[in-house]
Amino acid sequence: MSLKTMIFRMMCRHSDNARDKGLTVPEGVECFCDIRYGKDKKYGLLDIYRPKNITGPLPTIVSFHGGGWIYGTKETYRFYCMSLAEQGFAVVDPSYRLAPKHRFPAAFEDINEVFRFVLKNADKYGFDTDALFGVGDSSGATGMAAYAAVLTCPELAGNFPVKPPKGLRLRALGLNCGTYTAKGRADFYINTLPKNNADKVLELLHTTDHITADYPPCFLMTAVDDFMKDQQKPMEDALKAKGVRYVSKIYGDENNRLGHVFHCNVRDKNAAAANSEQLDLFRSFLR
């Protein structure tokens, strides 16, 4: 592992620990923790959060966490995911194998196994498989966006090294502070690119080229001081060109300088408002 990767992980961990310091499990949330979905002993685990005292199948959100492909676990995102569960959803919060030790397509293989787990264990944990949603932030938004393209673009599916489980359909996506163009942007993907065929992988992850009319509706979120905010417009244009429903929001203003993945801070009223709006789009598919 490079010194740069070690420093990045240390800085992210310090920031996230400060963000979540003192938080506890909300009284209204039921937790199922450290459930194995994959073969990797360290990363092949997920947590499930559900609102208490609600029986039967619930609309279900699968989270693809961010961290530049090299940082993050389910624990990093637990309070964010619990906040979604408080609002009436079952939420699946997985870890996945991290680069640079585990390079593309490792993260996609793992998220694919997470969805396979959801379909297989729907009755056990009360997942409504007709109301599945995906959320992701930063590299997780990049990953979730690309995975949804594999589900809906036959040409991409034929070339992608991951084959989704039969019958999987995502009703909508929450793509937060992500990047959706990969060609010519090897710097963003450098940690996860394989040693060979890097250009081919960048083509596969250039999601704006793979949007079809069957792509899931999207809630796109960024912020005024998000260093990835310029990526939202290309995704908007690609969705619009294919007639895919979307909502696009840039949060904050000159007096409220919100930054990258601000929505993960559950103490922040801006995050609460943004996440609620995103879930409103999801709920519109439940009526």
Side-chain angles (χ1 to χ4, degrees), residues 37 43 45-47 62-65 73-74 92-96 111 114:
Y37 75 84
Y43 293 108
L45 300 171
L46 58 80
D47 295 342
V62 174
S63 172
F64 198 147
H65 75 70
T73 64
K74 60 187 177 64
V92 181
D93 175 22
S95 296
Y96 58 83
I111 207 69
V114 170

Short mmCIF file of all heavy atoms in Angstrom, two decimals, residues 37 43 45-47 62-65 73-74 92-96 111 114:
data_model
loop_
_atom_site.label_atom_id
_atom_site.label_comp_id
_atom_site.label_asym_id
_atom_site.label_seq_id
_atom_site.Cartn_x
_atom_site.Cartn_y
_atom_site.Cartn_z
N TYR A 37 -22.27 -12.36 3.17
CA TYR A 37 -22.82 -12.49 1.83
C TYR A 37 -21.76 -12.98 0.83
O TYR A 37 -22.11 -13.51 -0.23
CB TYR A 37 -23.39 -11.15 1.34
CG TYR A 37 -22.32 -10.16 0.92
CD1 TYR A 37 -21.78 -10.18 -0.36
CD2 TYR A 37 -21.83 -9.21 1.82
CE1 TYR A 37 -20.79 -9.28 -0.74
CE2 TYR A 37 -20.85 -8.31 1.45
CZ TYR A 37 -20.33 -8.34 0.17
OH TYR A 37 -19.34 -7.47 -0.19
N TYR A 43 -14.31 -8.42 4.29
CA TYR A 43 -15.19 -7.49 3.59
C TYR A 43 -16.52 -8.10 3.13
O TYR A 43 -17.42 -7.35 2.74
CB TYR A 43 -14.47 -6.90 2.38
CG TYR A 43 -13.31 -6.00 2.76
CD1 TYR A 43 -12.00 -6.40 2.56
CD2 TYR A 43 -13.55 -4.75 3.33
CE1 TYR A 43 -10.94 -5.58 2.90
CE2 TYR A 43 -12.50 -3.92 3.69
CZ TYR A 43 -11.20 -4.33 3.47
OH TYR A 43 -10.15 -3.52 3.82
N LEU A 45 -19.22 -8.94 4.31
CA LEU A 45 -20.23 -8.83 5.35
C LEU A 45 -21.15 -7.65 5.07
O LEU A 45 -20.76 -6.67 4.44
CB LEU A 45 -19.59 -8.64 6.72
CG LEU A 45 -18.65 -9.74 7.21
CD1 LEU A 45 -17.92 -9.29 8.48
CD2 LEU A 45 -19.42 -11.03 7.48
N LEU A 46 -22.37 -7.75 5.55
CA LEU A 46 -23.31 -6.66 5.42
C LEU A 46 -24.16 -6.54 6.68
O LEU A 46 -24.28 -7.48 7.46
CB LEU A 46 -24.20 -6.83 4.18
CG LEU A 46 -25.07 -8.10 4.04
CD1 LEU A 46 -26.36 -8.04 4.84
CD2 LEU A 46 -25.40 -8.33 2.56
N ASP A 47 -24.72 -5.36 6.88
CA ASP A 47 -25.68 -5.10 7.94
C ASP A 47 -27.02 -4.75 7.30
O ASP A 47 -27.08 -4.22 6.18
CB ASP A 47 -25.24 -3.93 8.82
CG ASP A 47 -23.96 -4.22 9.60
OD1 ASP A 47 -23.59 -5.40 9.74
OD2 ASP A 47 -23.33 -3.24 10.05
N VAL A 62 -30.28 -0.61 -1.27
CA VAL A 62 -28.92 -1.14 -1.17
C VAL A 62 -27.94 0.02 -1.33
O VAL A 62 -28.04 0.79 -2.30
CB VAL A 62 -28.65 -2.22 -2.23
CG1 VAL A 62 -27.19 -2.65 -2.20
CG2 VAL A 62 -29.56 -3.42 -1.99
N SER A 63 -27.02 0.16 -0.40
CA SER A 63 -26.04 1.24 -0.41
C SER A 63 -24.70 0.76 -0.98
O SER A 63 -24.22 -0.32 -0.62
CB SER A 63 -25.83 1.76 1.02
OG SER A 63 -24.75 2.68 1.07
N PHE A 64 -24.13 1.57 -1.86
CA PHE A 64 -22.78 1.34 -2.40
C PHE A 64 -21.93 2.48 -1.88
O PHE A 64 -21.99 3.61 -2.37
CB PHE A 64 -22.84 1.36 -3.93
CG PHE A 64 -21.66 0.73 -4.65
CD1 PHE A 64 -21.85 0.10 -5.87
CD2 PHE A 64 -20.38 0.80 -4.14
CE1 PHE A 64 -20.79 -0.48 -6.56
CE2 PHE A 64 -19.31 0.23 -4.81
CZ PHE A 64 -19.52 -0.42 -6.04
N HIS A 65 -21.14 2.23 -0.84
CA HIS A 65 -20.45 3.33 -0.16
C HIS A 65 -19.31 3.90 -1.00
O HIS A 65 -18.75 3.23 -1.88
CB HIS A 65 -19.95 2.89 1.22
CG HIS A 65 -18.74 2.00 1.22
ND1 HIS A 65 -17.49 2.43 0.86
CD2 HIS A 65 -18.60 0.69 1.58
CE1 HIS A 65 -16.62 1.45 0.99
NE2 HIS A 65 -17.27 0.38 1.42
N THR A 73 -16.15 1.17 4.97
CA THR A 73 -16.77 -0.11 5.31
C THR A 73 -18.23 0.16 5.63
O THR A 73 -18.67 1.31 5.67
CB THR A 73 -16.11 -0.77 6.53
OG1 THR A 73 -16.35 0.08 7.68
CG2 THR A 73 -14.62 -0.98 6.33
N LYS A 74 -18.95 -0.89 5.92
CA LYS A 74 -20.35 -0.73 6.33
C LYS A 74 -20.45 0.10 7.61
O LYS A 74 -21.42 0.84 7.80
CB LYS A 74 -21.01 -2.09 6.50
CG LYS A 74 -20.39 -3.01 7.53
CD LYS A 74 -21.03 -4.41 7.47
CE LYS A 74 -20.40 -5.38 8.45
NZ LYS A 74 -20.55 -5.04 9.85
N VAL A 92 -29.82 -2.13 3.19
CA VAL A 92 -28.72 -3.09 3.18
C VAL A 92 -27.42 -2.31 3.04
O VAL A 92 -27.21 -1.58 2.08
CB VAL A 92 -28.88 -4.08 2.01
CG1 VAL A 92 -27.74 -5.10 2.02
CG2 VAL A 92 -30.23 -4.80 2.12
N ASP A 93 -26.54 -2.47 4.02
CA ASP A 93 -25.31 -1.68 4.15
C ASP A 93 -24.12 -2.63 4.10
O ASP A 93 -23.71 -3.17 5.14
CB ASP A 93 -25.36 -0.91 5.48
CG ASP A 93 -24.09 -0.14 5.78
OD1 ASP A 93 -23.33 0.15 4.85
OD2 ASP A 93 -23.86 0.17 6.98
N PRO A 94 -23.52 -2.86 2.93
CA PRO A 94 -22.42 -3.82 2.83
C PRO A 94 -21.04 -3.17 2.86
O PRO A 94 -20.85 -2.01 2.48
CB PRO A 94 -22.66 -4.44 1.45
CG PRO A 94 -23.23 -3.32 0.64
CD PRO A 94 -24.02 -2.45 1.61
N SER A 95 -20.07 -3.94 3.29
CA SER A 95 -18.68 -3.66 2.96
C SER A 95 -18.37 -4.35 1.64
O SER A 95 -19.10 -5.25 1.21
CB SER A 95 -17.74 -4.20 4.05
OG SER A 95 -17.94 -3.54 5.28
N TYR A 96 -17.30 -3.93 0.99
CA TYR A 96 -16.84 -4.64 -0.21
C TYR A 96 -15.32 -4.52 -0.27
O TYR A 96 -14.72 -3.67 0.39
CB TYR A 96 -17.50 -4.09 -1.48
CG TYR A 96 -17.29 -2.62 -1.74
CD1 TYR A 96 -16.13 -2.15 -2.36
CD2 TYR A 96 -18.25 -1.68 -1.37
CE1 TYR A 96 -15.95 -0.79 -2.61
CE2 TYR A 96 -18.08 -0.33 -1.61
CZ TYR A 96 -16.92 0.11 -2.23
OH TYR A 96 -16.74 1.45 -2.48
N ILE A 111 -20.74 -6.13 -4.97
CA ILE A 111 -22.08 -5.52 -4.94
C ILE A 111 -23.06 -6.41 -5.68
O ILE A 111 -24.25 -6.48 -5.33
CB ILE A 111 -22.05 -4.08 -5.50
CG1 ILE A 111 -23.20 -3.25 -4.88
CG2 ILE A 111 -22.14 -4.06 -7.00
CD1 ILE A 111 -23.05 -2.95 -3.42
N VAL A 114 -24.13 -8.91 -3.26
CA VAL A 114 -25.07 -8.30 -2.31
C VAL A 114 -26.49 -8.35 -2.87
O VAL A 114 -27.44 -8.74 -2.17
CB VAL A 114 -24.66 -6.84 -2.00
CG1 VAL A 114 -25.77 -6.14 -1.21
CG2 VAL A 114 -23.36 -6.81 -1.22
#
